[in-house]
Amino acid sequence: MVLNIRQREILDLARAAGRVGVEELAEKFDVTLQTIRRDLGELSDQGMLDRVHGGAVLRSGVSNIGYEERRRMHDTAKAAIARACARQIPDNSSVILNLGTTTEAVARELLNHRNLTVITNNMNVANILVSNESCDIMVAGGALRRSDGGLVGDLTTEFMAQFKPDFAIIGTSALDGDGDLLDFDMAEVRVSRAIAGLARKTFLVTDISKLERSAPVRIISMAELDAVFVDRPLPARLMEKCKDWETQVVIAE
């Protein structure tokens, strides 16, 4: 199928933001909601977008969305999640932060914390927190992933294994209905697993859209977490599982 001009522009918007909404598109193009829904349906039929409630997202697959696109996606939700998580991190504590745009949002919320020790394999986290003169930053060695400033590999895992921090704050590329955290890169997954097993408390920071995505590699189960920080309630079945696992679910305001 040949896309019309409006559909090509919709696809460009989705690539830039990760998600598009029916109402916003109808207003932008001055057409009816039904017209936009038909456009999104055709783009979905062509395998270019996935329909979600109220709009569409880039098609999930075996590759991750680009870093810059992920950084812009759901930025308001990520900021709220980060604030809620940072409130649980006291001064004078040690924290591991792994890869992800939401963990980077948490780093920004830690800029006014005092006497922190931060261990990270995320160059972006280190660059954010360098502005906090009361924060000691320890950066893992490893292979630098230029696409997002992440350090991964066996050297990274070995470095992390030397620590037992008060908190580990991790992100994920996707979540499934069974409560498993999922990712794309096996080297990154090995580091994330190591991090989650080191800390006295392990927190997941993620927006609810991760339930709309899929990835092929399992990290850990939410049963192994102390708390999950999200922007909206999880599905009822998953909320019940978290209750059984004694995994606290914090809904960010």
Side-chain angles (χ1 to χ4, degrees):
M1 186 190 83
V2 177
L3 302 181
N4 61 42
I5 293 174
R6 184 178 59 249
Q7 289 170 339
R8 288 199 296 269
E9 290 189 28
I10 290 171
L11 193 56
D12 287 341
L13 290 168
R15 286 170 176 155
R19 187 187 192 283
V20 287
V22 171
E23 293 185 0
E24 293 86 349
L25 291 173
E27 182 177 350
K28 175 179 176 60
F29 293 107
D30 193 24
V31 296
T32 65
L33 299 177
Q34 289 79 6
T35 296
I36 293 299
R37 291 191 182 102
R38 184 167 60 250
D39 285 337
L40 296 181
E42 292 177 359
L43 290 167
S44 177
D45 291 341
Q46 292 298 307
M48 298 174 181
L49 296 178
D50 283 325
R51 293 298 307 275
V52 296
H53 179 70
V57 297
L58 284 176
R59 173 60 54 94
S60 300
V62 295
S63 62
N64 204 354
I65 299 171
Y67 171 77
E68 286 300 327
E69 292 180 5
R70 285 187 284 124
R71 186 175 59 81
R72 291 191 294 267
M73 289 171 65
H74 313 289
D75 54 348
T76 302
K78 289 174 183 175
I81 291 164
R83 285 192 296 272
C85 179
R87 284 195 289 267
Q88 301 299 314
I89 307 300
D91 291 342
N92 307 298
S93 60
S94 54
V95 186
I96 283 185
L97 290 163
N98 79 336
L99 307 185
T101 55
T102 312
T103 55
E104 291 167 21
V106 175
R108 285 188 282 273
E109 295 298 326
L110 295 176
L111 283 171
N112 293 318
H113 279 53
R114 306 294 297 171
N115 299 321
L116 290 183
T117 298
V118 172
I119 306 109
T120 188
N121 63 324
N122 187 333
M123 295 292 289
N124 300 316
V125 163
N127 286 330
I128 290 166
L129 284 169
V130 75
S131 298
N132 183 347
E133 295 182 359
S134 185
C135 177
D136 291 330
I137 305 167
M138 308 189 74
V139 180
L144 176 63
R145 199 165 61 186
R146 288 183 173 84
S147 61
D148 62 0
L151 293 152
V152 296
D154 291 341
L155 185 60
T156 312
T157 305
E158 291 169 10
F159 176 86
M160 293 297 188
Q162 301 177 70
F163 300 94
K164 187 173 183 179
D166 298 313
F167 302 94
I169 301 172
I170 64 174
T172 186
S173 291
L175 283 171
D176 71 10
D178 294 326
D180 285 332
L181 284 62
L182 306 170
D183 217 308
F184 296 90
D185 185 337
M186 192 66 217
E188 179 180 347
V189 166
R190 283 194 289 268
V191 177
S192 295
R193 285 176 184 162
I195 288 171
L198 295 171
R200 293 177 174 87
K201 289 188 176 182
T202 301
F203 295 162
L204 170 67
V205 289
T206 184
D207 63 84
I208 204 73
S209 74
K210 298 300 174 63
L211 282 164
E212 299 163 357
R213 303 193 66 211
S214 181
V217 188
R218 181 182 181 273
I219 307 173
I220 58 172
S221 167
M222 292 170 71
E224 300 172 57
L225 302 172
D226 293 281
V228 180
F229 295 82
V230 289
D231 54 320
R232 285 182 283 151
L234 300 170
R237 176 172 170 269
L238 196 48
M239 290 288 285
E240 194 62 32
K241 281 177 173 283
C242 287
K243 183 178 179 181
D244 292 341
W245 293 330
E246 297 185 351
T247 300
Q248 182 185 13
V249 178
V250 179
I251 312 301
E253 296 179 0

